[in-house]
Amino acid sequence: MICLGFEGTAHTVGVGIATSEGEILANEKEVYQPDEGGIHPREAAQSHSDNVKEVLDKAVNKANIEPEDIDLISFSQGPGLGSCLRTAATSARALAVWLEVPIIGVNHCISHIEIGRFTENVNDPVTLYVSGGNTQVIAYDSSRYRIFGETLDVAIGNCLDTFARRVGIPHPGGPRLEELAKKSENLIDLPYSVKGMDLSFSGLLTEALRKYEKGASLEDLAYSIQENTFAALVEVTERAVAHTKKDEVMLVGGVAANQRLRQMLDLMSEEHDADFYVPPMEFCADNGAMIAWNGLLAYGAGKRQEIGETRIRQRWRTDEVRVPWRSD
Ligand code: AMP
Ligand code: MG
């Protein structure tokens, strides 16, 4: 069975094609880059609708299939920016109706986990999902992916990007901050907020900007922001590992590109005799292949949807989804 999946939760419009035998035939995308400032939802959606046809054509050509070969359409139903989700959902519905094949909406966060389990051959990990819009520590238990901890305000990627933008570094600032951080070892005192199993980054963001205005160097601040926020992320992940006694740890999402975060998680995993995994960045960042793969899993486990049930779900939480393709 061949599934074509549309990703469109934020800055990326992606089309992936996967088979139920476990082959990724194509994974094409186009990323919206704002002229200035952060992601503007309406402009991102406009960019997606300008690009989706080309991305779709590229994916179908790359997979070397005919549209008639497609058996199933899936799409990112949520969570994400409404205008972007709607654009991807509309494309998915149009194609499914035209091809007369079933359609399935999948949860974007769960797709990140499932593609990682698939590409890295991981069985049952504690996953740290860190991106521009999401920060969650997730592990499977009793038919669902449970959220063990999450940010109470901004996502870690958003925190890094917002700080960068306010000091004149264009979007996305995360990679540039990583480079700057390598030039310092001077830890500046910043708020460290782990609240129970949850995290908060907005106070640190405000304080880092205040210290910048008072003359602290960008290198020192980049280093201190990373050390501080990553330590908090690793602390919560570590407690989830200790609690669940799982012996696999996985890092996914765009911030997974960061070498320092990988190093810290690797060290923590080693101390708990757990294996540490990071999927290739092609699959860590937002992409269509993970949506296609999740569509196949859901369909294979019997999930069916009418077009009328494909309305987008901007705030669809990871733990609201039943996961029938996994057994306890
Ligand atoms: P996503 O939302 O999953 O596509 O990921 C995008 C986010 O990842 C943005 O917030 C980027 O700033 C962040 N990001 C990408 N590369 C790095 C890096 N090397 N270090 C920290 N953050 C990064
Ligand atoms: Mg994502």
Side-chain angles (χ1 to χ4, degrees):
M1 170 172 233
I2 294 183
C3 178
L4 183 143
F6 286 93
E7 157 61 26
T9 53
H11 48 58
T12 297
V13 62
V15 175
I17 302 176
T19 72
S20 47
E21 284 73 43
E23 258 184 300
I24 306 292
L25 302 179
N27 195 19
E28 298 295 324
K29 67 165 138 178
E30 191 64 43
V31 180
Y32 153 81
Q33 176 75 31
D35 295 332
E36 56 171 6
I39 298 177
H40 189 298
R42 192 183 59 229
E43 284 172 14
Q46 186 58 49
S47 157
H48 295 349
S49 62
D50 292 344
N51 291 318
V52 68
K53 168 77 167 58
E54 197 184 321
V55 175
L56 175 62
D57 286 345
K58 267 197 208 160
V60 171
N61 285 336
K62 180 84 184 286
N64 203 11
I65 57 167
E66 298 299 323
E68 297 73 37
D69 298 331
I70 298 165
D71 303 300
L72 174 68
I73 299 289
S74 63
F75 70 101
S76 52
Q77 194 168 2
L81 304 172
S83 52
C84 300
L85 289 170
R86 241 168 254 124
T87 304
T90 305
S91 311
R93 287 183 206 115
L95 194 56
V97 168
W98 181 59
L99 291 172
E100 297 180 12
V101 297
I103 182 169
I104 287 190
V106 300
N107 181 290
H108 174 92
C109 309
I110 291 180
S111 301
H112 271 292
I113 300 174
E114 291 302 346
I115 196 72
R117 287 181 64 228
F118 169 66
T119 66
E120 303 315 287
N121 208 6
V122 184
N123 182 36
D124 186 26
V126 171
T127 301
L128 174 61
Y129 169 34
V130 277
S131 70
N134 294 284
T135 300
Q136 293 183 341
V137 176
I138 308 161
Y140 179 83
D141 184 38
S142 311
S143 309
R144 281 170 205 262
Y145 281 109
R146 311 285 169 177
I147 301 172
F148 282 78
E150 64 191 319
T151 181
L152 298 172
D153 41 52
V154 291
I156 177 63
N158 190 358
C159 170
L160 299 172
D161 295 341
T162 305
F163 175 80
R165 198 161 65 235
R166 294 276 294 275
V167 302
I169 298 169
H171 185 88
R176 269 290 305 285
L177 290 183
E178 178 174 19
E179 289 312 308
L180 287 166
K182 286 180 187 156
K183 298 180 186 147
S184 166
E185 281 190 351
N186 179 25
L187 197 60
I188 296 176
D189 195 29
L190 292 172
Y192 179 88
S193 11
V194 173
K195 304 183 178 192
M197 283 293 278
D198 290 326
L199 300 138
S200 156
F201 300 117
S202 63
L204 169 137
L205 175 59
T206 307
E207 182 60 11
L209 286 167
R210 205 180 65 85
K211 293 223 154 108
Y212 175 73
E213 273 154 28
K214 285 192 160 178
S217 85
L218 266 189
E219 286 85 356
D220 290 350
L221 280 168
Y223 172 73
S224 308
I225 291 170
Q226 281 200 173
E227 291 303 302
N228 203 301
T229 55
F230 294 174
L233 290 166
V234 173
E235 180 190 330
V236 173
T237 311
E238 177 168 24
R239 279 198 268 135
V241 171
H243 174 77
T244 59
K245 300 191 171 58
K246 294 189 194 284
D247 58 6
E248 293 166 322
V249 176
M250 186 164 73
L251 175 64
V252 302
V255 185
N258 192 289
Q259 295 300 326
R260 177 61 180 145
L261 179 57
R262 290 181 183 208
Q263 186 188 35
M264 289 166 81
L265 279 166
D266 198 15
L267 199 69
M268 179 277 283
S269 304
E270 209 180 298
E271 284 171 5
H272 288 266
D273 289 324
D275 294 320
F276 176 58
Y277 301 91
V278 193
M281 279 318 291
E282 177 188 357
F283 297 111
C284 255
D286 292 352
N287 67 91
M290 69 181 193
I291 303 298
W293 180 242
N294 196 351
L296 286 165
L297 292 176
Y299 190 84
K303 180 164 174 177
R304 302 290 182 270
Q305 258 177 326
E306 299 297 326
I307 288 282
E309 298 168 318
T310 58
R311 243 176 319 202
I312 59 145
R313 304 180 65 175
Q314 263 172 277
R315 297 187 184 280
W316 195 13
R317 281 176 64 80
T318 308
D319 52 9
E320 285 175 53
V321 183
R322 271 197 55 253
V323 184
W325 59 88
R326 287 197 58 174
S327 50
D328 283 291

